[in-house]
Amino acid sequence: QVQLVESGGGLVQAGGSLRLSCAAAGRNFIGYNMGWFRQTPGKEREFVAVIFYGPEKTYYTDSVKGRFTISRDNAKNTVYLQMNSLKPEDTAVYYCNAHAPGSDSVYDYWGQGTQVTVSS
């Protein structure tokens, strides 16, 4: 069974840092673009960051540029999201995503989500 398992969420004060991890199990995600999305109650899931596979270009939503860094370790089949200078508006459930370039998004893989709460 293919799984993406997120970890590293929690409660942190504004200005603090967290590092999210997403470990893939059941298959190798070589060739996949790996991303992070987030969702708050009553809102649609929104894009946060993506890292492509070879070359490892990265893109971020404007609100996290300069504060968040996405990276991947292909040997460990893991993607990370380093979040610094956290703000209360970053509070959300964060989801890991794996997308095969050129494929329909209905075939994407998603993790179960990890809660990030930033207190003011």
Side-chain angles (χ1 to χ4, degrees):
Q1 183 178 358
V2 179
Q3 284 186 308
L4 294 176
V5 181
E6 300 102 332
S7 61
L11 173 64
V12 64
Q13 287 189 332
S17 298
L18 284 173
R19 188 195 195 203
L20 305 184
S21 299
C22 172
R27 68 157 296 148
N28 193 304
F29 283 94
I30 297 295
Y32 278 68
N33 299 332
M34 302 297 293
W36 289 94
F37 290 71
R38 64 187 180 187
Q39 188 171 23
T40 54
K43 293 188 177 181
E44 291 192 0
R45 193 171 297 185
E46 66 169 355
F47 166 78
V48 176
V50 64
I51 183 166
F52 294 162
Y53 180 84
E56 294 184 355
K57 297 183 70 173
T58 58
Y59 293 95
Y60 301 89
T61 192
D62 286 345
S63 63
V64 308
K65 285 180 182 177
R67 300 188 297 121
F68 290 11
T69 302
I70 188 171
S71 61
R72 65 191 294 166
D73 185 335
N74 293 323
K76 295 182 178 180
N77 227 14
T78 300
V79 63
Y80 305 97
L81 185 68
Q82 178 66 44
M83 305 186 295
N84 298 328
S85 302
L86 282 161
K87 303 176 181 180
E89 50 264 44
D90 294 318
T91 296
V93 177
Y94 283 71
Y95 296 91
C96 179
N97 167 271
H99 173 77
S103 70
D104 193 294
S105 60
V106 69
Y107 299 111
D108 285 5
Y109 294 95
W110 292 92
Q112 82 289 349
T114 185
Q115 176 70 48
V116 171
T117 303
V118 184
S119 63
S120 57

